[in-house]
Amino acid sequence: MTIRFSLTQLRASIGTRVRYGGHTYVVVEVLEDAPALVLKPLEDESVIQANQHGDAHRLAPRTHTIPVLSPQQHEFSAEFLALIPLD
């Protein structure tokens, strides 16, 4: 069985607010290779971001990457199915 979905549909979700794990996020990016959604929390959840040498560089918002498909790529991932659209 093959899951069919459109990257265009996923891209259209950019800017959508979602509820996940009891927190509210906004979809900020779609990764096409995986495919996955990148979520940024609406609450301030900054972390220290390291540079390429591992040195503390700056505060940056924590992001979460949610895979669209399960590891076997035959069904949607549990994380993706747990997203609750708010918009």
Side-chain angles (χ1 to χ4, degrees):
M1 184 168 110
T2 303
I3 294 286
R4 294 180 192 261
F5 63 92
S6 164
L7 287 173
T8 302
Q9 289 174 315
L10 288 178
R11 283 188 212 106
S13 69
I14 293 174
T16 301
R17 293 179 313 125
V18 296
R19 193 99 173 129
Y20 178 72
H23 299 282
T24 304
Y25 298 89
V26 64
V27 178
V28 293
E29 188 175 351
V30 173
L31 303 177
E32 295 181 12
D33 292 340
L37 298 178
V38 179
L39 308 180
K40 179 180 137 193
L42 289 180
E43 301 91 22
D44 185 25
E45 196 178 313
S46 296
V47 295
I48 296 174
Q49 185 179 52
N51 64 14
Q52 65 187 10
H53 304 291
D55 300 323
H57 181 63
R58 65 181 179 147
L59 279 177
R62 178 184 305 269
T63 59
H64 299 278
T65 303
I66 305 297
V68 174
L69 299 175
S70 68
Q72 297 80 19
Q73 306 260 323
H74 295 297
E75 59 188 9
F76 291 115
S77 72
E79 296 94 339
F80 181 73
L81 295 174
L83 295 175
I84 302 168
L86 300 176
D87 292 332

